[in-house]
Amino acid sequence: MQIITRQEPGKPLTVTIEYPEYTESVRGIIKRIESLDIRFSAFSDDRRMHIAMSDVYYLENVDRKVFLYTGDDVYRLDASMQEIGKITEDSDLVRISRTCIMNTSHLTEIKQLKNSRLEAMLDNGERLIVSRKYLRDIKRRF
Amino acid sequence: MPVRKILKDTCILAALMILAVFTLSIIWSGITAEISLVLALFGLALIITVVNFLFDEYLSLTIVVSYIIKYFVFSGIVMLFGFIVGWFFPSNFWMAFIYVGVVLALAFVIDAFTVKRDIGYINEHIRKGNEQ
C-alpha cells in the first residue's frame, strides 16, 4: 500500500482511496476514515457540545445513562450503548465490558492483575476494567 | 494460523455432516436412540452456552472464582439434565462432576493461554505504534 500526501492550500481535508478491487480491507479503511468525522452530540450542564471521536477516551453506561469521558471532562450522551456500537463499528471505539466502550487510540497498555482481572491503561492515567470476553474484540482493532 | 483454521473448518464440517446425516435419518427412520443422544447433547450444549454467556456478561469475577462457580453450576445443570434424559441414576450422578471438571480444566488452560497471548499481541502493537 502506498501513502501519498500533498498540501493543497485552501482546499478541505480530502482523502482519496484508489484500489484495484473493492475488498473487506478497503471497506475497513473507508469505515475507519469515515469514523474520524464522527462527532457525538453530548451535554454538559445542559449545554450541547459536539465532541470529536478522537477526543473520546471512553463511554460508560451508569444506571441506564450514558456518559462520555474525554481527557478531562465528562458529558452526558442521549444514546444507548447499542446505538453507539452501531455508529462506531470499525472505528477505534471498542466495547471492553457490558457497560464500557473504550477508544483504543488512547490505550497505552493492557495488564493482567494478580487476581487475573484485566486492566486497560489510558494515556491520561485512567484505568478501566476489561472483561476477558471482549479482549478478542480489542485485539481485532490492532 | 493454518492448524487452527483446519481444526475450526473440521469442526464446522463435522457439525454439517452430523446435521445432514441425522436429518435424513429422522426423515427415513424417525428418532432413534443415537439421534436422541446427539439431540440431547446439542440441547445440553445450548443450555450451558447460554448460562456461560450470562455469567461472562453480568458477573465480574476473577478467573479462578468464575471457574469454581461455573464448575458447580454446570455440574448441577449436567446432573439435572442427565436425570431428565436418563443418563444418570442416583448411583452414578457424581460422574457429572468428573465430566464437567475435565471440560472446564481444559477450558481454563486454553483461556489462560489465549488471554496472555492476546495481551502480548495488543501491547506489542501499541509499542510499535508509539515507536513509529
Side-chain angles (χ1 to χ4, degrees), chain A residues 55-111:
Chain A
D55 293 331
V56 176
Y57 273 65
Y58 64 98
L59 298 126
E60 192 172 29
N61 188 342
V62 182
D63 295 333
R64 296 187 180 181
K65 288 176 188 146
V66 178
F67 294 94
L68 182 156
Y69 297 79
T70 61
D72 307 307
D73 298 306
V74 185
Y75 301 88
R76 168 96 195 278
L77 206 64
D78 269 341
S80 68
M81 295 296 264
Q82 284 76 18
E83 286 167 343
I84 296 162
K86 277 181 194 163
I87 298 166
T88 58
E89 201 184 344
D90 289 329
S91 74
D92 287 335
L93 293 194
V94 60
R95 191 177 275 256
I96 59 164
S97 68
R98 194 170 57 86
T99 57
C100 190
I101 293 173
M102 176 184 73
N103 190 344
T104 51
S105 63
H106 293 293
L107 178 66
T108 56
E109 192 182 7
I110 291 198
K111 276 184 179 172

Side-chain angles (χ1 to χ4, degrees), chain B residues 28-39:
Chain B
W28 281 327
S29 49
I31 295 177
T32 60
E34 295 81 24
I35 292 170
S36 59
L37 172 68
V38 173
L39 290 178

Side-chain angles (χ1 to χ4, degrees), chain B residues 8-77:
Chain B
K8 191 178 161 189
D9 289 351
T10 304
C11 290
I12 293 169
L13 181 62
L16 284 172
M17 285 162 76
I18 290 168
L19 194 71
V21 170
F22 277 47
T23 304
L24 290 174
S25 299
I26 290 169
I27 292 167
W28 281 327
S29 49
I31 295 177
T32 60
E34 295 81 24
I35 292 170
S36 59
L37 172 68
V38 173
L39 290 178
L41 283 171
F42 268 100
L44 179 61
L46 176 69
I47 293 166
I48 290 175
T49 305
V50 170
V51 173
N52 190 47
F53 173 83
L54 295 173
F55 253 105
D56 293 342
E57 191 74 10
Y58 292 99
L59 295 180
S60 176
L61 302 165
T62 65
I63 185 170
V64 177
V65 175
S66 160
Y67 271 88
I68 290 170
I69 293 175
K70 279 180 185 178
Y71 176 62
F72 287 107
V73 171
F74 292 162
S75 296
I77 292 171

Side-chain angles (χ1 to χ4, degrees), chain A residues 95 98 104 107-112 115-118 129 131-136 138-139 142, chain B residues 4 53 56-58 60-64 111-112 114-119 121-123 125-126:
Chain A
R95 191 177 275 256
R98 194 170 57 86
T104 51
L107 178 66
T108 56
E109 192 182 7
I110 291 198
K111 276 184 179 172
Q112 186 161 26
N115 59 10
S116 73
R117 284 179 200 270
L118 306 180
I129 293 293
S131 169
R132 305 169 81 81
K133 191 180 159 208
Y134 295 100
L135 189 62
R136 195 156 282 186
I138 302 173
K139 189 182 164 189
F142 290 92
Chain B
R4 204 171 149 193
F53 173 83
D56 293 342
E57 191 74 10
Y58 292 99
S60 176
L61 302 165
T62 65
I63 185 170
V64 177
D111 188 15
T114 311
V115 164
K116 202 174 174 186
R117 192 193 57 194
D118 288 351
I119 289 173
Y121 177 91
I122 293 164
N123 288 339
H125 274 74
I126 293 170

